[in-house]
Amino acid sequence: MNRPAKLMIGLLLCLFALVLLWVFHAALMQSPGARLADLAMDSLPLSGVKNPVTAVLLSYRAYDTLLELAVLLAALLGIWSLGAATPGFQPAGAALAAMVSWVVPLLILTGGYLLWVGGYAPGGAFQAGALLGSAGVLLRLAGDERAGLPSERAQRRLVVAGIAVFALVGLGTMVAGIGFLTYPPGWSKWLILLIETAATVSIGVTLAAAYAGGKPRSRASDGATP
Amino acid sequence: MNGPTLFGLCGAALVGLGLYGLICQPGALRKILAFNLIGSGVFLLFGVIAKRGGGALSAAGLGVDGDPVPQALIITGLVVAFAATSIAVALLLRLAEISGRSTLERAGSGSHSPTHERAPAPERAA
């Protein structure tokens, strides 16, 4: 692409950004009016959790979250279908290995904390899953070819676990006659926690496996190529 | 300049920069990064607009900062953006591995930007 054309595009995009800023400003200046926020807060006592964001994700719009897990699964299937993962880096030196052996357990612990705290404060399955995934990324950067994950067969099960538990809870409530993913009052907190726990593990494994960038190699072949 | 305006400025700048990169950069990896830049800008704008619903809520003494619905939608959007990016990068790596190219231009039309063309790799037996 030649220079004047690039300059032209840059100028046009500057104008576009200004228009965007103006639209944003106009939206911010508008009177609050009727908001979904009020509705979300009104039904919060019924949802079983105290954090409105978790209530939106796991209760009011649980379909969204279910399909989001399906998107993650589909992405991982796409990545796995492209072939085997590249071999990882060489084993880490002493300093990096020592840091990883400290940070990874802390990440897992913090992930568990975020999962629990999501019931009444910022946190939840996705934040906790992201921490688990980053633990896997660290392990792979430090030389573990499989990013700290178990065998391929176990990975398949873990990756599907989140969406499977979610769908099973939904089907269970449907069979009970109260509708797909409509939690019975009193049970909702524990059902949400169950779904979130499975989703956390699933998300963590999916993110780490996606970072590895391909189907996991079997350990047997590792022995041949050290 | 107050907080929301600053965030809005950053969001608009990110969207503009991302669109520029998406249009003008020939390398596919740069296009993916630029696309993520647009996404970050949109999430930032959306997150700040969520503040609008929070005014009424914090006035009611609920101690909540911001409309929870956009926040939840952003969390959903982040995950979908991550999934799309990871599969795009995996496809790009595969493309580079098979054809030796890292751009989306056709082999014939890419002659004016030889720096982005690597020597074509021999055909791999599938």
Side-chain angles (χ1 to χ4, degrees), chain A residues 1 6 9 13 16-17 20-21 24 27-28 30 35 37 41 52-53 56-57 68 72 75 78-79 82 126-127 207, chain B residues 4 8-9 12 15 19-20 23 45 48-49 52 57 62 64 67-68 71-72 75-76 79 82-83 86-87 90-91 94:
Chain A
M1 200 175 285
K6 276 192 179 180
I9 289 171
L13 286 175
F16 174 77
L20 198 62
L21 197 63
F24 165 75
L28 211 59
Q30 245 178 26
R35 313 287 311 162
M41 293 309 293
V53 179
V56 171
L57 276 175
E68 185 183 356
L72 269 182
I79 291 169
L82 290 173
F126 289 99
Q127 290 87 336
L207 297 191
Chain B
L9 204 61
V15 172
L19 272 175
Y20 181 80
I23 296 170
L45 287 178
V48 183
I49 288 179
R52 194 168 53 145
L57 288 178
L62 286 163
V64 180
D67 192 336
Q71 288 185 33
I75 293 180
T76 309
V79 174
F82 172 86
S86 63
I87 194 160
L91 283 170
R94 191 77 177 140

Side-chain angles (χ1 to χ4, degrees), chain A residues 73-155:
Chain A
L73 181 64
L76 188 67
L77 288 181
I79 291 169
W80 277 3
S81 71
L82 290 173
T86 51
F89 296 103
Q90 58 177 343
L96 181 55
M99 192 204 83
V100 166
S101 66
W102 267 96
V103 169
V104 166
L106 278 179
L107 278 174
I108 294 172
L109 201 65
T110 316
Y113 168 74
L114 273 183
L115 171 66
W116 176 253
V117 90
Y120 54 90
F126 289 99
Q127 290 87 336
L131 282 185
L132 288 189
S134 61
V137 170
L138 261 184
L139 279 171
R140 184 164 156 95
L141 286 176
D144 186 344
E145 187 180 70
R146 214 184 259 157
L149 297 173
S151 67
E152 190 194 334
R153 177 192 277 272
Q155 274 186 44

Side-chain angles (χ1 to χ4, degrees), chain A residues 1-67:
Chain A
M1 200 175 285
N2 53 1
R3 210 174 172 79
K6 276 192 179 180
L7 203 66
M8 193 70 197
I9 289 171
L11 281 176
L12 283 177
L13 286 175
C14 276
L15 282 179
F16 174 77
L18 281 178
V19 171
L20 198 62
L21 197 63
W22 176 72
V23 169
F24 165 75
H25 201 69
L28 211 59
M29 285 298 117
Q30 245 178 26
S31 65
R35 313 287 311 162
L36 275 177
D38 305 327
L39 203 59
M41 293 309 293
D42 285 344
S43 340
L44 197 56
L46 298 174
S47 71
V49 289
K50 293 196 185 70
N51 178 8
V53 179
T54 305
V56 171
L57 276 175
L58 268 302
S59 186
Y60 312 149
R61 300 184 60 90
Y63 261 123
D64 261 17
T65 311
L66 174 65
L67 293 178

Side-chain angles (χ1 to χ4, degrees), chain B residues 5-100:
Chain B
T5 316
L6 185 64
F7 282 127
L9 204 61
C10 289
L14 280 176
V15 172
L17 284 173
L19 272 175
Y20 181 80
L22 192 64
I23 296 170
C24 293
Q25 295 288 346
L29 183 62
R30 291 192 176 197
K31 280 190 195 290
I32 294 172
L33 289 179
F35 202 73
N36 270 287
L37 220 53
I38 300 177
S40 307
V42 171
F43 292 146
L44 193 56
L45 287 178
F46 198 24
V48 183
I49 288 179
K51 190 90 178 154
R52 194 168 53 145
L57 288 178
S58 53
L62 286 163
V64 180
D65 197 23
D67 192 336
V69 180
Q71 288 185 33
L73 288 184
I74 290 171
I75 293 180
T76 309
L78 282 174
V79 174
V80 173
F82 172 86
T85 306
S86 63
I87 194 160
V89 171
L91 283 170
L92 174 63
L93 283 174
R94 191 77 177 140
L95 174 74
E97 190 185 325
I98 289 176
S99 68

